[in-house]
């Protein structure tokens, strides 16, 4: 079964064709980074306009690279939540219309499920496992019972980890995207140069939750208070110390979930899954099996959408033509949460 997957939740116009949920026949990503760099962040209006301009050429390129025509595609999928509403509408409306006009099955896919599935495009992973979903919009620790069944254990109480990276980078005029820039600078610095605080949350109510607002404030407005004697007050040292604290905040809560659930397999997804310190810190753990997607699949891409859609189709699910987009996940809370809206069979 060949599924064409479209992803346009933020600032990448992406389309891929995946066979049987595993074999990537094409994976085209048109990035808008040059158009947003001047603003040091994504401008929603610019993003949606670029999606409208690029969606057709990107889909055509994905078909060409896969050496297929639309007639060879068995089903079409597109991201419908969460994300920037204008961006979502472009890719989702295009995908749904394409499916309707060609009488092909259509699947609306939750972006979060896609990121957690990215690693499974190249690895066989048995359920259940722990998921660490980290990006510019989310910091989630969850128990993954199936491809569409997530039990949310913890999330951020304020900023996401990716948002903290972006805001620190923006304040110090380091460049965009902030996470990539800080990661590179941190590799030239000493993480021991400053000791930024790891926030302490209520151990019962927020056992697996994380917080990055205080860390961001400390790095931006109070960094001189946390420098250690004898270390140069350089940007490289600051980035190294900031990154070390941010990643430790995530890993500490993740390891707590590992101990409590007994699950030893951890699958990471999202843009921050490309962070070199996160990868090295978890790789050093001999007590868990941590699986990361390839770097090219950490960011937004159509392959993860097509991969998830295959499993819905295999189960006999279809999305209703009345399915719509949603900027957020409705009623997002801890506990068993069906984060994918199932359509009619």
């Amino acid at each position: 079964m060949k599924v064409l997957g479209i992803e346009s939740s933020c600032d990448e116009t992406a389309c891929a064709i995946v066979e049987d949920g595993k074999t990537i026949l094409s994976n085209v990503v048109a990035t808008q980074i040059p158009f947003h760099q001047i603003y040091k962040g994504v401008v929603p209006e610019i993003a949606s306009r670029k999606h409208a301009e690029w969606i057709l050429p990107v889909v055509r390129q994905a078909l060409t690279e896969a050496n297929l025509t639309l007639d060879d595609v068995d089903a079409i999928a597109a991201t419908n939540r969460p994300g920037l509403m204008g961006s979502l509408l472009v890719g989702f409306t295009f995908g749904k219309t394409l499916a309707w006009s060609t009488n092909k099955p259509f699947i609306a896919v939750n972006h979060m499920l896609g990121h957690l599935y990215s690693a499974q495009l190249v690895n066989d992973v048995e359920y259940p496992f722990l998921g660490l979903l980290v990006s510019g919009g989310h910091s989630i620790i969850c128990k993954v019972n199936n491809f569409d069944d997530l039990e949310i254990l913890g999330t951020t109480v304020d900023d996401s980890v990716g948002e903290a990276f972006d805001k620190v980078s923006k304040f110090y005029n380091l460049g965009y995207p902030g996470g990539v820039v800080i990661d590179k600078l941190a590799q030239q610095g000493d993480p021991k140069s400053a000791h930024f605080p790891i926030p302490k949350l209520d151990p019962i109510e927020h056992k697996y939750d994380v917080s990055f607002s205080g860390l961001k404030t400390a790095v931006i407005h109070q960094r001189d208070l946390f420098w250690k004697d004898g270390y140069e007050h350089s940007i490289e040292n600051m980035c190294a110390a900031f990154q070390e604290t941010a990643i430790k905040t995530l890993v500490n809560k993740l390891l707590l979930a590992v101990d409590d659930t007994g699950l030893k397999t951890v699958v990471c997804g999202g843009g921050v899954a490309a962070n070199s310190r996160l990868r090295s810190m978890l790789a050093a753990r001999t007590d868990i099996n941590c699986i990361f997607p390839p770097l090219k699949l950490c960011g937004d891409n159509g392959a993860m959408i097509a991969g998830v859609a295959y499993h819905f189709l295999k189960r006999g699910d279809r999305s209703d033509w009345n399915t719509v987009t949603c900027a957020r996940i409705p009623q997002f809370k801890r506990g068993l949460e069906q984060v994918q809206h199932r359509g009619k069979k």
Side-chain angles (χ1 to χ4, degrees):
M1 184 185 295
K2 299 179 182 67
V3 181
L4 184 151
I6 295 171
E7 156 59 32
S8 67
S9 63
C10 191
D11 62 332
E12 275 89 22
T13 310
C15 181
I17 300 173
V18 177
E19 186 172 15
D20 296 336
K22 281 287 187 183
T23 305
I24 300 176
L25 303 180
S26 65
N27 188 27
V28 179
V29 179
T31 181
Q32 300 179 13
I33 288 176
F35 300 94
H36 299 285
Q37 278 181 326
I38 188 174
Y39 305 103
K40 303 175 185 177
V42 177
V43 180
E45 177 66 17
I46 293 175
S48 57
R49 288 179 180 273
K50 285 299 174 183
H51 285 308
E53 179 183 346
W54 291 351
I55 184 65
L56 181 56
V58 165
V59 171
R60 283 176 170 167
Q61 185 178 343
L63 287 166
T64 300
E65 291 188 6
N67 197 27
L68 298 173
T69 68
L70 195 57
D71 291 336
D72 300 316
V73 173
D74 298 297
I76 295 171
T79 301
N80 78 317
R81 65 180 63 180
L84 301 175
M85 183 58 81
S87 295
L88 285 168
L89 280 169
V90 175
F92 183 76
T93 304
F94 186 94
K96 186 164 68 168
T97 304
L98 191 62
W100 178 84
S101 63
T102 56
N103 197 29
K104 296 182 186 295
F106 177 71
I107 296 292
V109 176
N110 187 314
H111 182 79
M112 302 293 97
L113 299 182
H115 273 310
L116 280 175
Y117 188 80
S118 291
Q120 297 181 70
L121 286 165
V122 293
N123 298 278
D124 293 323
V125 187
E126 292 187 5
Y127 297 103
F129 57 80
L130 283 178
L132 178 64
L133 181 55
V134 280
S135 66
H138 298 274
S139 298
I140 297 172
I141 297 171
C142 57
K143 180 183 177 185
V144 185
N145 300 307
N146 206 340
F147 74 94
D148 66 333
D149 184 357
L150 310 184
E151 183 179 348
I152 307 301
L153 302 178
T155 184
T156 179
V157 299
D158 40 56
D159 296 342
S160 70
V161 61
E163 183 181 358
F165 273 86
D166 287 340
K167 287 183 176 178
V168 168
S169 179
K170 183 176 182 178
F171 181 84
Y172 287 105
N173 198 28
L174 301 180
Y176 173 82
V180 176
V181 175
I182 288 177
D183 193 2
K184 290 181 179 179
L185 290 171
Q187 294 175 40
Q188 305 169 39
D190 189 336
K192 297 179 181 179
S193 59
H195 184 69
F196 293 116
I198 294 179
K200 295 182 179 180
L201 302 175
D202 186 290
I204 298 177
E205 183 180 359
H206 298 288
K207 187 172 185 180
Y208 307 110
D209 290 339
V210 293
S211 169
F212 294 100
S213 179
L215 172 60
K216 177 190 66 182
T217 300
V219 176
I220 291 177
H221 299 296
Q222 304 167 333
R223 65 170 186 162
D224 290 342
L225 299 177
F226 302 100
W227 282 105
K228 293 183 179 179
D229 293 338
Y231 287 94
E232 180 185 358
H233 289 210
S234 67
I235 288 294
E236 291 80 6
N237 281 345
M238 183 204 69
C239 287
F242 162 65
Q243 177 172 268
E244 187 76 6
T245 304
I247 299 305
K248 277 185 177 179
T249 299
L250 286 171
V251 171
N252 288 349
K253 290 302 182 82
L254 176 64
L255 294 178
L256 183 60
V258 168
D259 291 339
D260 289 348
T261 63
L263 296 174
K264 301 299 182 182
T265 298
V266 175
V267 175
C268 297
V272 182
N275 181 271
S276 65
R277 187 61 184 125
L278 177 63
R279 287 176 172 249
S280 64
M281 194 177 292
L282 288 176
R285 303 288 308 194
T286 59
D287 54 335
I288 60 174
N289 175 30
C290 194
I291 302 171
F292 284 89
L295 291 178
K296 65 181 180 180
L297 294 179
C298 287
D300 295 346
N301 64 87
M304 67 185 190
I305 303 304
V308 170
Y310 164 77
H311 292 279
F312 280 109
L313 292 160
K314 184 180 178 182
R315 193 170 63 189
D317 288 355
R318 304 290 187 273
S319 290
D320 192 286
W321 295 120
N322 293 323
T323 304
V324 297
T325 57
C326 184
R328 297 183 180 274
I329 302 174
Q331 299 178 345
F332 184 73
K333 58 183 183 298
R334 296 175 191 80
L336 192 60
E337 179 79 15
Q338 295 297 331
V339 293
Q340 165 67 32
H341 171 71
R342 294 185 189 176
K344 294 179 181 178
K345 292 186 178 181

